[in-house]
Amino acid sequence: MATDDLDDEIHALLRREDQRYTKGRRALVATLRAEGQPVTIPQILDASDGLAQSSVYRNLVVLEEAGVVTRIVTNDDFARFELAEQFTHHHHHLICSSCGDVVDFSLDDQAEAGLDEALHDVAEQAGFTVEAHRLDLVGTCADCD
Amino acid sequence: MATDDLDDEIHALLRREDQRYTKGRRALVATLRAEGQPVTIPQILDASDGLAQSSVYRNLVVLEEAGVVTRIVTNDDFARFELAEQFTHHHHHLICSSCGDVVDFSLDDQAEAGLDEALHDVAEQAGFTVEAHRLDLVGTCADCD
DNA sequence: TAGCTGTTGAAAACAATTCTCATTCTGATT
DNA sequence: AATCAGAATGAGAATTGTTTTCAACAGCTA
């Protein structure tokens, strides 16, 4: 997706929540986009300077509520953030239990479709309204082995 | 599994880590067993009295390291704990984003097998050593709808 | 330009979790 | 049984990622 289109869509999502797309929020999105992988707040502060820590936390909440950004919580100390799937593609996470690093991966279409169907059935039986499914592989990454 | 067998196995797991299976730890396991669903620490403290908060936190770490208990982290304020799968059965979680409640569910064998195979391939390609996979459905539970 | 409203930055507050330390328990040895 | 060493416990303090506060500021509208 071109940067301009992405910014337009994000602008629209924020406006829907009566939020502005400020310079700080643009910088945040740019950083997440540049990283291309889930990042912690310390990583964001290192990668993009000029942003105050409190504003980063606050804006990530705003962006998350608007559906621009996804928060990934693991057993690690820090939460991680990445652009929402609508701006990237549907994917899952490899979580390293040694270093805490989180890396994206995708299933092939057939496996994903099969999973979707099975989950749909489960949710229906439980009277559960599904917003998203999350699939993580927990283990040890190549670097930590 | 009978309570005695379960206690024996847990005892063995703890001994492997040079840990004792004390009264407090037995009470903790009994509570988790009685609940049968993931519970928060406040819930544990309510359900079983006589346990100090600091000991519950500490012992859950010990039990987790020994592989007796699994920690479930969500966007909710509190972590949740349940008996490890080896003492229950392989399952996944319905996570309510409204009330934070977590409920177990299982996939049918065929779907689970298909998923396993797909994940195995992904991990191999990434040089990732898998310890576990986690699959959560995030949404709204029947009570919150 | 003036005025209103939302945003920012720095620091204080908050809260789940972890740590400290004095006391108590466990269980192996005599 | 009595003793002793090491581990576990309870109460509270400390830690730390995150949230909130509040005064100063920026951006929009008239």
Side-chain angles (χ1 to χ4, degrees), chain A residues 93-107:
Chain A
H93 298 119
L94 295 170
I95 300 175
C96 179
S97 55
S98 174
C99 67
D101 204 34
V102 179
V103 176
D104 294 349
F105 77 89
S106 296
L107 286 182

Side-chain angles (χ1 to χ4, degrees), chain A residues 92 105-115, chain B residues 114 117-119 121-122:
Chain A
H92 304 287
F105 77 89
S106 296
L107 286 182
D108 65 77
D109 292 346
Q110 191 190 336
E112 189 69 44
L115 180 59
Chain B
E117 192 185 330
L119 292 179
D121 293 348
V122 167

Side-chain angles (χ1 to χ4, degrees), chain B residues 54-127:
Chain B
S54 56
S55 297
V56 171
Y57 273 104
R58 196 165 30 209
N59 285 329
L60 284 170
V61 170
V62 171
L63 291 169
E64 191 192 9
E65 280 172 353
V68 175
V69 154
T70 303
R71 179 193 303 252
I72 304 162
V73 182
T74 70
N75 290 348
D76 197 31
D77 285 340
F78 295 93
R80 282 152 205 272
F81 298 86
E82 66 182 354
L83 281 186
E85 289 195 342
Q86 78 168 112
F87 301 113
T88 54
H89 50 86
H90 180 58
H91 64 270
H92 305 286
H93 298 118
L94 295 169
I95 300 175
C96 179
S97 55
S98 173
C99 67
D101 205 34
V102 179
V103 176
D104 294 349
F105 77 88
S106 295
L107 286 183
D108 65 77
D109 292 347
Q110 191 191 335
E112 190 70 44
L115 180 59
D116 254 356
E117 192 185 330
L119 292 179
H120 178 79
D121 293 348
V122 167
E124 199 164 58
Q125 280 179 26

